[in-house]
Amino acid sequence: MRTFGTDGSKMTSLFGNRKIKMPNILKIRSSSSASSTNSPAVELDSPPAVLTFEENLKQRNLLAACQQLIALEDRLFGENSCALPAEREQLETQHEVLLNQVWLVVEASLNSGEEDLEILEEVAKVIQLEEERDKQWQKAKESGTGPVPDWRPFNCRSTHDDLLSKMVKKRLDDTENLSGGDNLSSSLKKDIFKMGKCLKDDMKKVVRDVKRRYPEEFDICNLYARLYHQTFSARLLAITEFGLDLQDLIYVLYWVHSLYPNDVLQSTELKDDINSEHLGCLLPADVLRPLEDQYLSHKEGILNTWTSNALKNEEDSCLKGNLPDVFDGCYFTNIAIDVVEIFDEAAKEARSVLGDLNKAKSIAGQLNIFLASYKSFLEAVLKGRYGNILPTVKAHLASLETFRGYIMNNADLFTDDVRAGCLSTVAELKCLCHSYITSSVHKDLKPAYSKLGTGTWFSGAPVGVLEGLQKNIENIKTALNKGCCEELLGQLHKEVLAEYVSRLMKRNLKLADEDQQRTAATLVSEDNERLHALFTEAGSKEEWLRDVLSKISEVLRIQDVGFIQLEVATLVRDFPDISSLHIKALLSLKRNLSSDDIYRIKHGVKERVRRRSRQDKTTRDDQSHDPDRNPLMI
């Protein structure tokens, strides 16, 4: 059939091998010489050859072929068109042929080389053009302005997306020939690994090669990511429905919470082109929760078994009367190192498998349960059930320090309650061990303590405290870890000074005049220096204890009631544990003070403390209302 253009030029149909005859090209001539035979015509280059629809298809000029069909569609369905049904049917067939070629290119896009990817760029434009034509024909249909092609709309965009979805499913189904995962222990793990590998490799291809062939409006990277996510999710969901053994369950959780979100979506090649937050989790919460609970229950049971065995080995060794091992000259036991290693590995594995630190905290919570059993064991040691008490206590002091360090340095693994409970148990056990050692020291020094503040002491004769301490300190330091030794000696330092002050204030000594009080002050000062030197040289870090006896010495030395009141107030300020009974006992040593003097001093100290308390409260209140100190008050 022949059709005619608006200018009357003859046009042939695009059907078959017939070509479009372009409208006549006007020759450029001078108006003044139009009728002159002497004026030569201006010759033009011949126009380029026009390809038929079939030729464009053969040469894979898909966009040009699409434009030809759309132009013909306009003519066949334009106003006053008298196209025959056969011509319209033929045009529909041509559209089908074109779109078949389009979908073949799309289907091969992830396996295409550079040349085929250039054609994919044309395919994307064809889809856009067909989508636009669908919209135009839809408007025409709604307005009733003329006939509409029966084959419209083509819905090329949704067909394209559906085709990608089928293609993705097929690729994740056909991963048997992919390499990798050979070292995995089960066929299920290998299948999951290969699906994940296929997903990542394909997405890298999309980002690297396919993305630039599509217009931005396709958002092709996120489209592919969503399709792969949905398909991978469906595969994993189907796997979980048949039940999993423990190791396969762990591998599924590891992919869901760690490998997929971190190694795939957040990989260097993909993270900038994929909106991973919109994808969500691979498995729904109602499926994940039972799997996570099953994993945690198993892990907690394993931890309980391992740590119970470690503690039992320690008990068995003690029951046999074995001395602790010696490492670097110190008594040592492996229990803390073993248990910490077990818990640390379990907590870190749980954090990776579950992908949530808060979920993993229940693992570290088992440490609190273990420490309760450990406490029972050490209490039995201190009661003498196993023998070799002192070496065993020294060995376990080092272990308690290891536990404390681990808990303090890994606070993020614990809930606040569990962390506080663990630290409390460790502190209680250290206190019990310290008390066992220091109580034996005080027992040994009891005869020497009894002479403090007596006439023997006042005469300047040695009472044996320093000598006894020196011998006991050497015994304490033997085969004890340095850090533990420093802490233990610091505790003993405080207890010895408390005992010294207590003995001094028992009124066994009455300092009747100024000379006696100055002599006593000198003795206290000298004892203070010797005790401080002994403890600090041995390893105590409690430097502040030096001031306790020096301030008491100063109270004994001075005679002016006002200055005494000031010194006592300073003593109370620096050492809040000092009670009114302590103050009364200290002042009673100064026999020349009257009851009224003692009352005035105690009353003055009380008033000073009260004023100081009010000032401190005012300062705190001012600071809390100071916008510069508390930005929340602005």
Side-chain angles (χ1 to χ4, degrees), residues 323-389:
L323 282 169
D325 294 332
V326 176
F327 177 75
D328 200 19
C330 300
Y331 287 123
F332 175 78
T333 172
N334 278 316
I335 190 166
I337 293 175
D338 291 344
V339 170
V340 162
E341 185 177 356
I342 290 169
F343 274 97
D344 193 55
E345 288 180 0
K348 288 176 179 176
E349 179 196 289
R351 179 159 47 182
S352 295
V353 170
L354 301 176
D356 186 341
L357 186 58
N358 288 324
K359 293 178 182 177
K361 287 180 178 180
S362 66
I363 293 292
Q366 297 299 301
L367 185 58
N368 214 1
I369 298 173
F370 165 78
L371 288 174
S373 300
Y374 186 50
K375 178 183 175 184
S376 297
F377 162 70
L378 283 181
E379 286 175 339
V381 168
L382 294 172
K383 290 176 181 177
R385 177 179 173 185
Y386 301 106
N388 297 320
I389 302 177

Side-chain angles (χ1 to χ4, degrees), residues 10 62 456:
K10 185 185 295 183
L62 301 184
T456 302

Side-chain angles (χ1 to χ4, degrees), residues 69 115 127 209 345 355 377 399 441 455 485 599 610 620:
L69 296 185
E115 183 178 345
I127 293 171
D209 299 325
E345 288 180 0
F377 162 70
S399 286
V441 174
C485 185
Y599 174 80
R610 189 175 293 142
R620 288 194 299 271

